[in-house]
Structures are given as C-alpha cells and as structure tokens.
C-alpha cells in the first residue's frame, strides 16, 4: 500500500489535523492502511468524523476488515463490525 501521507507517510499524532488535508479517495485508502497497521483511533476517526465507508475495498478487493482479520487485530475487527 506504500506511503499514506505526502512527505513520508507519517500518521497524525492527534485527532483531526492531517486527515483534513486528504481527499476522500486518500481517506478511503487511509482506512485500509490504518486497519493493516492496527491504528484503532485512526480507523474510528476516519469512520465517524470523515464518513469513510467501512466497506471500502482496495484495488485487490480487500477491505479494512480483511486486513484486520489477516493480521489478528481482533479489537479492531470488532470495531469495524460494530
């Protein structure tokens, strides 16, 4: 999935902030990357504050839930199913 954000792909250190600079398509991609990296707070923010669809799928057809399940992120999986 490569880097997420311009300038090195760093995750925002606090809620809001960096996600505001992203396009809707970039936020959708961010959801999948956040799930892959077990970033529960970012997943929650992208879903609740930015309205990213929980069922967004990457070009390979994988959703955030696929990545969370494949990597054993059970709490994150529960969040995505809630």
């Amino acid at each position: 999935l490569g880097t997420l954000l311009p300038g090195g792909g760093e995750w925002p250190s606090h809620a809001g902030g960096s996600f505001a600079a992203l396009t809707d398509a970039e936020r959708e991609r961010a959801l999948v990357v956040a799930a892959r990296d077990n970033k529960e707070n970012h997943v929650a923010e992208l879903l609740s504050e930015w309205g990213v669809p929980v069922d967004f799928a990457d070009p390979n057809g994988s959703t955030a839930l696929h990545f969370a399940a494949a990597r054993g992120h059970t709490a994150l999986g529960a969040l995505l199913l809630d």
Side-chain angles (χ1 to χ4, degrees):
L1 292 169
T3 59
L4 171 63
L5 302 173
E10 294 297 320
W11 285 105
S13 59
H14 59 281
S18 298
F19 290 130
L22 300 180
T23 65
D24 289 344
E26 289 169 330
R27 285 187 200 104
E28 289 171 341
R29 184 168 173 263
L31 177 67
V32 175
V33 174
R36 178 196 70 189
D37 293 348
N38 200 28
K39 303 282 188 181
E40 282 185 59
N41 57 331
H42 295 306
V43 169
E45 178 183 344
L46 287 161
L47 294 173
S48 66
E49 294 182 35
W50 296 103
V52 176
V54 70
D55 61 350
F56 167 76
D58 71 8
N60 295 319
S62 296
T63 65
L65 184 58
H66 288 128
F67 280 99
R71 295 190 176 220
H73 306 316
T74 55
L76 183 56
L79 171 70
L80 290 163
L81 289 170
D82 188 21

